[in-house]
Amino acid sequence: MAIRDLARTPNETRGDALAITAVAAMIAVLFAGSTVLTPLYIIYKQQFGFSQITLTLVYAVYVVGNLAALLMLGGISDVVGRRPASLAAMLVAIVSALVFLFAGNVASLDVARILSGLGIGVGAGTGTAWIAELLPGADKSRASVIATSTNFLGLGFGALISGLLAEYEPWPLRLVFIVYLAALAVVTILVWRTRETVAKPRGLKYVSIRPQLSVPEDIRARFVAPAVTGFGAMALVGFYAAVAPSILAQQLHEANHAVAGALFFELAIVTALSIVVLMHMKSNKAMLAALALMIPSVLLVVAAQMMASLALMIAATACCGVVAALGYRGGLQVVNEIAPRDRRAEVVSSFFICCFVGNALPVIGIGIVSTYANSIAASLAFAGMIIIFAVVALAFGLKHRR
């Protein structure tokens, strides 16, 4: 693979700024597709008649697509080019939205969620690399900030707009996907018009789908803290995306779908702003701060449920947003720093696996416990798990902080 590195004229520089905006819009709209369901889960649950366990499984199956993309298609854009890979991701997202639009049972929701995860898995990695190459000097750190902040902006706006449409407009399970398909069509055109940065793309026959995952033995002890930090940060995001609307309706007696969307929007916006504001905070300090803040944050979430306090839940959400920002960014940066240069992709992929598992597995556990006990017991179990993991990771992080 060769990357173009030519001197840019002022017009070309302005063109690159527009190109970066187009690619950032692609990342945002892809991730929006993963949270448009957040305010709709309760409606689907009522119409299709499934249990809380099934609800959490519908959420978690999205990770299957993520993992497939990461394990088998992570480097596809290096071979075929950024634009073809991005257009393929957008096409998968369009098919996913169409399946959601005409969904009539749980199986169709599962298929749509897997496709959504696949499109995001390919598009997010491709988009981050594309932005880095469009930036002057291939500024990868700035590219990461742009990509991660727009990621959370997309997550937030997807939930907010979906909640507003579901609450105040007709066809709550249809209109949002019509609007989303229109957004995907516009962004797809923008991506199609964005210049390619891979100078000599090759054909699909050169794409390898062999998974490459490992953590070298000499850094495994240092890998524990960032891996658990990423797990915990994404577990909080998964909790809000899948379970929070049910908590609002059952414990806080707030059944407004717009409020459910707005709560996740708060989490996402606080996370995005924190990523930008705290971007210069040293990676290890960010990671350790996230681990320390996880403990009071999850306790606040449980207290909000037990006291049926929306105000306390709003405060807890803000804390969780800061934790998600520090944990995800700090953990990823620490992994990049400790990984051997010749095996960095494998180690970073292992970190993302931990994040994806954290995003899905605790949510399934919450669904099981809440079905056989109650939602407060499930949240207590979730909080206990996060606290234990945070304490263990803090011990490893402090031990290996130098």
Side-chain angles (χ1 to χ4, degrees):
M1 179 195 72
I3 303 299
R4 296 177 183 140
D5 188 20
L6 305 175
R8 311 297 294 161
T9 67
N11 284 338
E12 288 173 329
T13 300
R14 284 192 293 272
D16 283 351
L18 293 174
I20 291 168
T21 302
V23 178
M26 177 193 74
I27 294 173
V29 78
L30 284 173
F31 274 98
S34 73
T35 53
V36 291
L37 258 69
T38 294
L40 307 181
Y41 281 122
I42 293 177
I43 304 176
Y44 280 120
K45 184 179 178 182
Q46 293 169 346
Q47 291 204 5
F48 294 173
F50 53 71
S51 66
Q52 187 71 12
I53 295 177
T54 302
L55 185 155
T56 53
L57 286 172
V58 170
Y59 172 82
V61 76
Y62 153 87
V63 174
V64 173
N66 284 151
L67 293 176
L70 179 65
L71 293 174
M72 296 184 291
L73 300 171
I76 189 171
S77 70
D78 292 336
V79 179
V80 304
R82 308 300 182 209
R83 184 165 51 194
S86 297
L87 289 173
M90 295 298 291
L91 179 61
V92 172
I94 289 171
V95 174
S96 169
L98 287 170
V99 176
F100 275 127
L101 179 61
F102 297 106
N105 51 44
V106 173
S108 54
L109 294 180
D110 287 336
V111 170
R113 285 288 288 170
I114 291 171
L115 289 173
S116 176
L118 182 63
I120 289 170
V122 173
T126 300
T128 302
W130 205 355
I131 289 172
E133 292 157 8
L134 289 166
L135 285 167
D139 188 345
K140 290 183 174 56
S141 61
R142 188 179 165 202
S144 296
V145 171
I146 294 173
T148 51
S149 58
T150 52
N151 164 346
F152 281 100
L153 285 174
L155 292 172
F157 278 103
L160 178 65
I161 294 171
S162 176
L164 290 170
L165 292 176
E167 184 66 30
Y168 300 113
E169 298 297 333
W171 317 316
L173 299 181
R174 300 287 184 264
L175 183 59
V176 64
F177 295 109
I178 294 172
V179 172
Y180 184 55
L181 281 165
L184 286 171
V186 171
V187 174
T188 299
I189 293 171
L190 294 176
V191 170
W192 177 68
R193 294 171 58 89
T194 301
R195 74 176 180 91
E196 179 60 70
T197 53
V198 177
K200 296 181 179 179
R202 292 170 285 169
L204 285 172
K205 66 180 181 180
Y206 294 100
V207 175
S208 172
I209 60 173
R210 184 180 65 181
Q212 291 186 341
L213 288 174
S214 67
V215 178
E217 186 175 354
D218 59 332
I219 67 165
R220 285 176 188 169
R222 286 182 289 164
F223 182 78
V224 170
V228 175
T229 306
F231 180 99
M234 296 312 295
L236 291 175
V237 174
F239 176 89
Y240 274 89
V243 182
S246 297
I247 291 173
L248 285 175
Q250 295 169 10
Q251 270 70 51
L252 278 64
H253 312 294
E254 180 55 76
N256 188 306
H257 302 302
V259 174
L263 188 70
F264 189 87
F265 178 76
E266 179 200 353
L267 177 82
I269 290 301
V270 170
T271 303
L273 290 175
S274 298
I275 287 172
V276 175
V277 172
L278 301 172
M279 62 183 293
H280 297 299
M281 187 175 185
K282 290 184 177 180
S283 59
N284 200 62
K285 287 184 177 179
M287 179 186 70
L288 294 175
L291 290 169
L293 287 172
M294 276 182 195
I295 298 171
S297 296
V298 292
L299 291 176
L300 273 176
V301 170
V302 175
Q305 282 185 252
M306 297 180 72
M307 298 172 65
S309 170
L310 182 59
L312 197 55
M313 180 62 87
I314 291 171
T317 303
C319 292
C320 289
V322 176
V323 169
L326 291 173
Y328 183 75
R329 197 271 296 174
L332 178 57
Q333 195 170 336
V334 168
V335 167
N336 269 312
E337 290 167 358
I338 66 174
R341 180 172 297 181
D342 60 338
R343 299 181 67 181
R344 182 165 291 148
E346 297 176 45
V347 178
V348 170
S349 294
S350 300
F351 171 79
F352 282 133
I353 292 292
C354 295
C355 291
F356 290 149
V357 172
N359 191 239
L361 196 59
V363 168
I364 297 173
I366 291 171
I368 294 172
V369 175
S370 61
T371 298
Y372 293 104
N374 56 62
S375 58
I376 293 179
S379 294
L380 282 168
F382 173 75
M385 178 202 71
I386 292 292
I387 290 170
I388 292 170
F389 279 24
V391 170
V392 171
L394 269 173
F396 275 88
L398 290 170
K399 181 179 179 180
H400 298 285
R401 66 186 181 277
R402 296 188 184 278

